C-alpha cells in the first residue's frame, strides 16, 4: 500500500445523521465528530475531494452539525441513498469515477453495516481503503469492533485520523503542516 496522496484520494463521509447519532453512545459520537471535523478540515486545506452520503434521510434525518456546516462550506451536498453500500448509489459511484482516486478514506456510521459494506465494495474494486478507526461508530461498541475487523478482512486498513492527515501531508515545515498540526492538538 502506497502513501495517501491527497491528489489521488477521496474522503467519504457515510451516514452521520441526526436520528442515527442520537442512538450512538455519547463518547463514541464525540470521538467521531471531533475526528471527522479534523479529516474535513485537512481535506479542505489539502484539496482532497469529499463525498458524503445520507441513508434514507426522511427517516434518519440530515447530516449532523458541525459536519453539515463544513460540507456546506466546501460545496459538498450529501447524497441520499437507500443502499447500505454507499458506492452502490449511482451518484456516488459517478462521483468516485469522476475523481478516479487510488485511495478512499472512509468515516461514518454504522461501522458494521454501511461503513463495512462500502469499504468491502471499494476494496473489491481495487482501491486502497482506509477506514478511520476513530471516526466511525456503531450503536454498540462490540459492533464497531466487529465492523473494523470485517473491513480489514475485506482488504481495508483501520487507520487513525492522525495517520491519515499526516500521510496526506507527507512532510513537515509547510503552512499546511502548521494548520493541520493545530487541528490535532
Amino acid at each position: 500500500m502506497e502513501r495517501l496522496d491527497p491528489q489521488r484520494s477521496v474522503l467519504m463521509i457515510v451516514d452521520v445523521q441526526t436520528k442515527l447519532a442520537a442512538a450512538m453512545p455519547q463518547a463514541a459520537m464525540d470521538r467521531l465528530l471531533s475526528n471527522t471535523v479534523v479529516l474535513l478540515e485537512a481535506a479542505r486545506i489539502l484539496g482532497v475531494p469529499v463525498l458524503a452520503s445520507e441513508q434514507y434521510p426522511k427517516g434518519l434525518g440530515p447530516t449532523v452539525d458541525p459536519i453539515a456546516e463544513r460540507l456546506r462550506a466546501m460545496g459538498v451536498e450529501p447524497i441520499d441513498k437507500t443502499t447500505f453500500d454507499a458506492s452502490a448509489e449511482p451518484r456516488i459511484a459517478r462521483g468516485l469515477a469522476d475523481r478516479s482516486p487510488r485511495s478512499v478514506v472512509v468515516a461514518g456510521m454504522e461501522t458494521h453495516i454501511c461503513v463495512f459494506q462500502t469499504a468491502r465494495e471499494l476494496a473489491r474494486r481495487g482501491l486502497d481503503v482506509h477506514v478511520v478507526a476513530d471516526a466511525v461508530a456503531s450503536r454498540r461498541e462490540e459492533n464497531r469492533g466487529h465492523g473494523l475487523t470485517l473491513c480489514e478482512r475485506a482488504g481495508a486498513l483501520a487507520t487513525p485520523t492522525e495517520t491519515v492527515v499526516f500521510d496526506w501531508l507527507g512532510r513537515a515545515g509547510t503552512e499546511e503542516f502548521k494548520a493541520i498540526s493545530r487541528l490535532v492538538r
Side-chain angles (χ1 to χ4, degrees), residues 1 10 19 28 48 55 79 87 91 96 121 124 138 147 152 154 156 159 169 179:
M1 186 163 288
V10 166
K19 290 184 181 176
V48 175
Q55 177 73 23
I79 297 170
S87 68
R91 291 168 293 162
L96 285 167
E121 178 57 22
R124 189 195 68 75
S138 292
E152 289 183 312
T159 311
L169 272 168

Side-chain angles (χ1 to χ4, degrees), residues 44-65:
R44 182 188 61 75
I45 291 165
L46 298 170
V48 175
V50 176
L51 293 169
S53 68
E54 292 178 341
Q55 177 73 23
Y56 185 63
K58 183 178 176 184
L60 295 177
T63 299
V64 301
D65 285 328

Side-chain angles (χ1 to χ4, degrees), residues 75-96:
V76 175
E77 182 71 30
I79 297 170
D80 61 291
K81 66 181 184 64
T82 55
T83 59
F84 298 123
D85 164 18
S87 68
E89 162 51 49
R91 291 168 293 162
I92 293 173
R94 254 192 319 279
L96 285 167

Side-chain angles (χ1 to χ4, degrees), residues 83-161:
T83 59
F84 298 123
D85 164 18
S87 68
E89 162 51 49
R91 291 168 293 162
I92 293 173
R94 254 192 319 279
L96 285 167
D98 290 348
R99 291 160 179 86
S100 300
R102 182 185 69 225
S103 304
V104 181
V105 174
V106 182
M109 46 200 204
E110 286 194 77
T111 314
H112 64 295
I113 304 171
C114 294
V115 169
F116 161 62
Q117 290 188 33
T118 300
R120 176 181 61 193
E121 178 57 22
L122 294 171
R124 189 195 68 75
R125 293 180 188 180
L127 295 163
D128 291 342
V129 181
H130 293 259
V131 174
V132 187
D134 54 4
V136 295
S138 292
R139 286 167 286 150
R140 293 199 316 257
E141 185 59 28
E142 71 246 24
N143 284 340
R144 179 182 162 277
H146 293 311
L148 288 170
T149 299
L150 288 166
C151 289
E152 289 183 312
R153 287 187 181 160
L157 286 178
T159 311
T161 297

Side-chain angles (χ1 to χ4, degrees), residues 13 16 32-33 36-37 40 63-71:
I13 309 299
V16 184
L32 181 150
L33 287 174
T36 302
V37 166
L40 285 165
T63 299
V64 301
D65 285 328
I67 294 170
E69 294 168 6
R70 287 189 173 62
L71 292 173

Side-chain angles (χ1 to χ4, degrees), residues 17-26 29 110 138-140:
Q17 295 165 251
T18 55
K19 290 184 181 176
L20 194 53
M24 297 295 143
Q26 190 60 53
M29 205 56 225
E110 286 194 77
S138 292
R139 286 167 286 150
R140 293 199 316 257

